Amino acid sequence: MPEGDTVFATATALRTALAGKRLSYTQFRVPRLATTDLSGRIVVAVRSRGKHLLIDVAGPDERRPDVGAVSIHSHLKMEGAWHVYPVGRRWRRPGFQARVVLRTDDAEAVGFDLGILELSDDPEAALGHLGPDLLALDWDRDEAVRRIEQRPDDPIGTALLNQRLLAGIGNVYRSEICFLRGTLPTRDVRDVDVPATVDLSRRLLWANRSRTARTTTGQTAASARLWVYGRRGQLCRRCRTPIERGQLGSIGDDRVIYFCPGCQT
Ligand SMILES: [Zn+2]
């Protein structure tokens, strides 16, 4: 499942392929953008913010690159992915899943099944609601702590997923973070060591930002990478209690969460 680390790694790959390059061909396969053509324009930058991805494209007139500059804003949601190929290489996903194709002289970036795909002339405004990005170089830890502590009645499991409080954690990480803190996800923020939880979140995502397979245990074997997520009924790696799966049931948060009733209180 794409989370902040996946998006960070995706941005790195897209930056290598596109940044500073001229687009020779573009195709947007969503009705709203069907007539959009960015060919001839230069890609200025590729950035990630939490689970959002921005590809900044200069305006058509190179002498005035800010005029008409746009950002391609995408979000992977559950099934989305960006792939980078040498031009002419066969795609690894079916063509009907492609939502956008961006080609340079030597590379082709294809966005498949993107949850969000839009053009924005003011991406800062579009993403202004997001809390501090856990993978930003100038990560604002104190602001993330402050925002979470402003919601003392929220279950910590819900707060960690709230991108307005801090950006980058998805469903896998929130289960793993609560486990590693020994905290049931239902525990109220007021009863949680928020700074320690935030620091752990940053550490985990940062350590995984350029790994091909996410691990929270430090193990790289496929069956050993996670403590609790996806392990319902299997034994806890620490205390041998069967892992349970549940839902927090708070408003707007009906996604499953995994926990160890032995290790987490
Ligand atoms: Zn346990």
Side-chain angles (χ1 to χ4, degrees):
M1 196 172 300
E3 302 197 18
D5 52 351
T6 319
V7 178
F8 185 94
T10 299
T12 302
L14 288 173
R15 192 176 302 122
T16 303
L18 300 177
K21 307 278 175 63
R22 185 183 303 278
L23 296 169
S24 57
Y25 170 85
T26 68
Q27 186 182 47
F28 289 82
R29 299 184 179 181
V30 292
R32 202 164 20 87
L33 300 175
T35 60
T36 300
D37 180 2
L38 299 180
S39 63
R41 303 219 206 166
I42 306 280
V43 175
V44 179
V46 180
R47 305 177 278 153
S48 60
R49 181 91 59 83
K51 294 189 277 181
H52 297 258
L53 195 70
L54 295 169
I55 300 172
D56 299 330
V57 181
D61 182 347
E62 276 174 47
R63 290 163 302 175
R64 302 165 72 200
D66 291 342
V67 178
V70 291
S71 285
I72 303 167
H73 169 212
S74 63
H75 191 295
L76 304 179
K77 291 282 170 74
M78 307 293 269
E79 305 291 336
W82 279 91
H83 292 179
V84 175
Y85 302 101
V87 172
R89 180 74 54 84
R90 189 184 166 87
W91 298 345
R92 296 191 308 278
R93 279 173 71 158
F96 71 83
Q97 293 179 0
R99 297 290 175 267
V100 55
V101 180
L102 304 175
R103 197 178 297 156
T104 68
D105 284 345
D106 45 22
E108 188 169 63
V110 187
F112 295 96
D113 273 350
L114 302 171
I116 293 174
L117 177 63
E118 58 189 20
L119 289 186
S120 173
D121 54 11
D122 189 358
E124 297 308 319
L127 302 185
H129 66 283
L130 292 176
D133 176 4
L134 277 156
L135 287 171
L137 291 175
D138 60 351
W139 150 242
D140 191 344
R141 178 254 199 192
D142 292 344
E143 175 64 12
V145 170
R146 190 186 69 80
R147 290 191 184 204
I148 293 175
E149 288 181 339
Q150 276 183 339
R151 306 190 55 104
D153 303 329
D154 280 9
I156 185 63
T158 298
L160 289 173
L161 212 52
N162 185 341
Q163 306 297 304
R164 292 171 185 272
L165 307 184
L166 76 177
I169 294 174
N171 217 29
V172 177
Y173 274 116
R174 74 159 170 172
S175 288
E176 299 294 297
I177 291 163
C178 288
F179 173 83
L180 284 164
R181 289 297 308 156
T183 300
L184 281 173
T186 46
R187 199 195 286 185
D188 288 346
V189 162
R190 70 172 79 251
D191 299 322
V192 168
D193 184 341
V194 173
T197 305
V198 165
D199 287 342
L200 171 69
S201 305
R202 159 80 170 182
R203 222 162 40 240
L204 277 182
L205 266 78
W206 189 254
N208 278 294
R209 73 194 185 285
S210 43
R211 285 195 183 121
T212 49
R214 176 184 303 139
T215 173
T216 58
T217 59
Q219 304 295 314
T220 52
S223 60
R225 287 181 199 138
L226 300 177
W227 290 105
V228 290
Y229 186 86
R231 300 192 65 237
R232 181 192 198 179
Q234 298 180 48
L235 300 185
C236 173
R237 303 186 194 281
R238 278 191 178 150
C239 74
R240 315 301 291 166
T241 302
I243 302 298
E244 292 186 14
R245 186 178 77 178
Q247 287 174 317
L248 286 168
S250 26
I251 294 165
D253 185 2
D254 54 359
R255 296 170 69 183
V256 294
I257 193 158
Y258 296 82
F259 59 96
C260 170
C263 292
Q264 293 169 257
T265 57

